[in-house]
């Protein structure tokens, strides 16, 4: 593809704008009216708690069903996203920048003193634009932070399904593509099945909503996590049975660690006396869980994350580093984030954190200090 063709492919169109408008409108309406369990979020500094309607799984299933019916009736092209991948990328990027600008302006003008909406202005324009000013900004009653991460995860699945449809129509469906799609579908469905666990993550609890999260949710998650699918669409990979079995084992181990660790953390926050692996939990200083996966290594959930990311790329073989962009990026991100988390926890918990480190000396991976 020459430069002119590449620039043309990246140029937003009214069609890509319409796709985004319909997608975001659907999510806003479905998220507001569909039934779902309402769960309380973490207690904020002022003692308040936000409540989240966790109907993401129902919203996703209904959306895929509607798109399937639309494709069957020739009202919607199943390859619409795959055919416009680059222009949708640029359109979403522009939308993310616009949203962040509006969030910044609204935050600067806010006089609200609640923990969710109190503006945190450092005076550094780039810092405030990147990290955000308000913790939990809302629009028409919609919590934007929760809304955007839901949009990113659903967008990832829709991109994958469109790539799969294009692959089927071009009659080049391979076992590699099937394996990659299967792992991603299971992971995304699991995310929405346990959507309430998202309410106890650091992003929701402590990160303000700026370009970092908006871009990460709307652009980075759907468009970089799907690189393997795009690559397999244009490259043929033949996997041996042994490679398929090994890939499945990596996925299963990654899933067990990732989901198990996150579930233990979430359950502990809701009920500190809940059993962990059939035994009463070991708690340091009445605050920090040192049982289960959290008694093996600090931030053990990151290990599960890395194994899952690797399993998404292994179906692509080893002929190119391109499909491994996601696990390589995630490795760098989580190492940085683990260091950041360690510093914050040391400041927050002080001597309790020092005691926890003595009890659980390993970081992410057993035997790694």
């Amino acid at each position: 593809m020459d430069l002119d063709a590449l620039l043309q492919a990246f140029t937003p169109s009214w069609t890509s704008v319409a796709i985004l408008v319909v997608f975001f409108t659907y999510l806003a309406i479905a998220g507001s009216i569909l039934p779902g369990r309402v769960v309380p979020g973490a207690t904020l500094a002022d003692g308040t708690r936000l409540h989240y309607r966790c109907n993401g799984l129902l919203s996703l299933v209904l959306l895929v069903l509607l798109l399937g019916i639309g494709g069957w009736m020739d009202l919607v092209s199943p390859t619409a996203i795959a055919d416009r991948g680059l222009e949708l990328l640029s359109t979403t990027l522009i939308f993310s920048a616009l949203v962040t600008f509006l969030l910044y302006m609204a935050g600067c003008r806010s006089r609200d003193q609640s923990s969710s909406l109190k503006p945190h202005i450092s005076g550094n324009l780039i810092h405030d634009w990147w990290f955000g000013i308000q913790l939990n900004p809302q629009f028409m009653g919609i919590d934007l932070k929760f809304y955007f991460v839901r949009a990113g995860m659903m967008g990832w699945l829709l991109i994958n399904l469109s790539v799969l449809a294009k692959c089927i129509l071009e009659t080049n469906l391979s076992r590699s593509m099937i394996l990659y799609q299967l792992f991603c579908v299971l992971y995304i469905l699991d995310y929405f099945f346990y959507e309430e666990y998202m309410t106890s993550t650091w992003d929701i609890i402590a990160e303000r909503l700026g370009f970092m999260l908006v871009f990460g949710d709307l652009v980075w998650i759907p468009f970089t996590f799907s690189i393997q699918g795009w690559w397999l669409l244009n490259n043929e990979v033949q996997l041996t049975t042994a490679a398929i079995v090994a890939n499945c084992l990596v996925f299963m181990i990654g899933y067990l660690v990732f989901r198990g660790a996150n579930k233990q953390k979430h359950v502990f926050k809701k009920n500190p006396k809940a059993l962990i692996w059939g035994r009463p939990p070991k708690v340091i200083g009445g605050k920090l869980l040192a049982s289960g996966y959290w008694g093996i290594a600090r931030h053990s959930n990151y290990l599960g994350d890395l194994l899952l990311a690797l399993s998404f790329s292994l179906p692509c073989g080893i002929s190119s580093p391109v499909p491994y962009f996601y696990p390589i990026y995630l490795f760098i991100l989580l190492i940085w984030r683990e260091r950041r988390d360690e510093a914050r926890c040391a400041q927050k918990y002080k001597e309790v954190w020092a005691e926890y480190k003595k009890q659980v000396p390993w970081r992410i991976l057993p035997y790694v200090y």
Side-chain angles (χ1 to χ4, degrees):
M1 182 181 292
D2 59 32
L3 181 59
D4 289 340
L6 185 62
L7 291 175
Q8 182 65 30
F10 265 107
T11 303
S13 68
W14 288 113
T15 301
S16 59
V17 171
I19 290 174
L20 287 186
V21 168
V22 171
F23 176 58
F24 287 124
T25 302
Y26 168 82
L27 286 187
I29 296 174
S32 300
I33 66 174
L34 291 180
R37 184 182 178 190
V38 178
V39 300
T43 302
L44 303 178
D46 60 359
T48 61
R49 303 179 76 175
L50 296 180
H51 289 76
Y52 301 90
R53 185 183 298 275
C54 296
N55 56 8
L57 183 60
L58 180 58
S59 299
L60 177 61
V61 171
L62 179 60
L63 176 58
V64 173
L65 181 61
L66 290 173
L67 291 174
I69 294 174
W72 178 67
M73 298 178 65
D74 290 328
L75 299 175
V76 178
S77 170
T79 63
I81 297 175
D83 293 337
R84 297 175 175 82
L86 293 179
E87 69 177 65
L88 279 169
L89 170 60
S90 61
T91 304
T92 309
L93 177 59
I94 293 171
F95 175 77
S96 299
L98 177 61
V99 166
T100 307
F101 173 76
L102 295 175
L103 287 171
Y104 176 81
M105 295 301 295
C108 287
R109 298 176 61 182
S110 175
R111 297 294 180 266
D112 199 304
Q113 293 302 304
S114 67
S115 293
S116 288
L117 300 176
K118 181 181 179 179
H120 297 265
I121 302 174
S122 69
N124 185 319
L125 175 63
I126 300 300
H127 177 278
D128 292 342
W129 177 78
W130 179 263
F131 289 105
I133 293 177
Q134 294 176 303
L135 182 63
N136 296 302
Q138 298 185 355
F139 177 71
M140 297 179 66
I142 298 173
D143 182 88
L144 292 179
K145 195 188 293 184
F146 198 65
Y147 172 81
F148 286 150
V149 70
R150 177 181 286 184
M153 294 298 291
M154 288 192 188
W156 177 19
L157 180 61
L158 294 182
I159 290 174
N160 278 355
L161 292 179
S162 186
V163 168
L164 176 62
K166 191 175 182 67
C167 190
I168 293 173
L169 290 176
E170 294 179 355
T171 64
N172 66 344
L173 183 63
S174 64
R175 292 196 295 180
S176 297
M177 178 66 84
I178 294 173
L179 201 60
Y180 164 72
Q181 293 284 348
L182 177 62
F183 289 161
C184 290
V185 166
L186 291 174
Y187 179 82
I188 295 169
L189 288 178
D190 172 83
Y191 170 85
F192 284 110
F193 185 82
Y194 293 104
E195 188 177 29
E196 70 172 272
Y197 291 3
M198 186 64 192
T199 64
S200 62
T201 61
W202 185 261
D203 285 353
I204 295 294
I205 294 173
E207 295 281 15
R208 296 189 292 274
L209 186 60
F211 186 75
M212 181 180 72
L213 285 187
V214 175
F215 172 82
D217 290 340
L218 300 184
V219 179
W220 196 258
I221 288 177
F223 290 99
T224 63
F225 289 17
S226 59
I227 284 177
Q228 299 93 327
W230 293 104
W231 194 86
L232 287 171
L233 183 62
N234 298 289
N235 296 271
E236 184 176 352
V237 177
Q238 297 296 331
L239 294 179
T240 64
T241 301
I244 292 175
V245 171
N247 200 168
C248 290
L249 286 175
V250 172
F251 175 82
M252 290 173 61
I253 294 171
Y255 173 78
L256 289 174
V257 175
F258 169 78
R259 178 50 61 212
N262 283 318
K263 184 175 182 179
Q264 287 174 356
K265 178 181 69 173
H266 182 80
V267 170
F268 174 73
K269 288 184 177 181
K270 297 292 183 180
N271 179 13
K273 296 182 179 180
L275 299 181
I276 301 292
W277 287 347
R279 297 179 179 180
K282 183 178 181 180
V283 183
I284 306 298
K287 298 177 180 179
L288 300 177
L289 176 64
S291 292
Y293 289 105
W294 301 94
I296 297 175
R298 308 196 300 274
H299 311 289
S300 55
N301 54 327
Y302 289 171
L303 174 60
D305 251 331
L306 291 169
L307 290 174
L308 285 171
L310 180 62
S311 74
F312 298 154
S313 298
L314 287 175
C316 301
I318 56 174
S319 63
S320 171
V322 173
Y324 289 86
F325 173 80
Y326 172 38
I328 293 172
Y329 147 78
L330 189 65
F331 176 78
I332 296 171
L333 172 70
L334 292 182
I335 292 299
W336 168 78
R337 190 163 189 170
E338 189 268 348
R339 298 297 188 269
R340 186 183 175 199
D341 291 346
E342 290 273 318
R344 285 179 169 175
C345 289
Q347 182 180 19
K348 180 178 180 180
Y349 297 110
K350 297 181 173 60
E351 64 278 358
V352 175
W353 182 253
E355 178 62 25
Y356 176 64
K357 289 174 65 176
K358 291 180 182 178
Q359 295 291 327
V360 188
W362 299 323
R363 311 168 73 154
I364 301 180
L365 188 68
Y367 302 103
V368 174
Y369 290 92

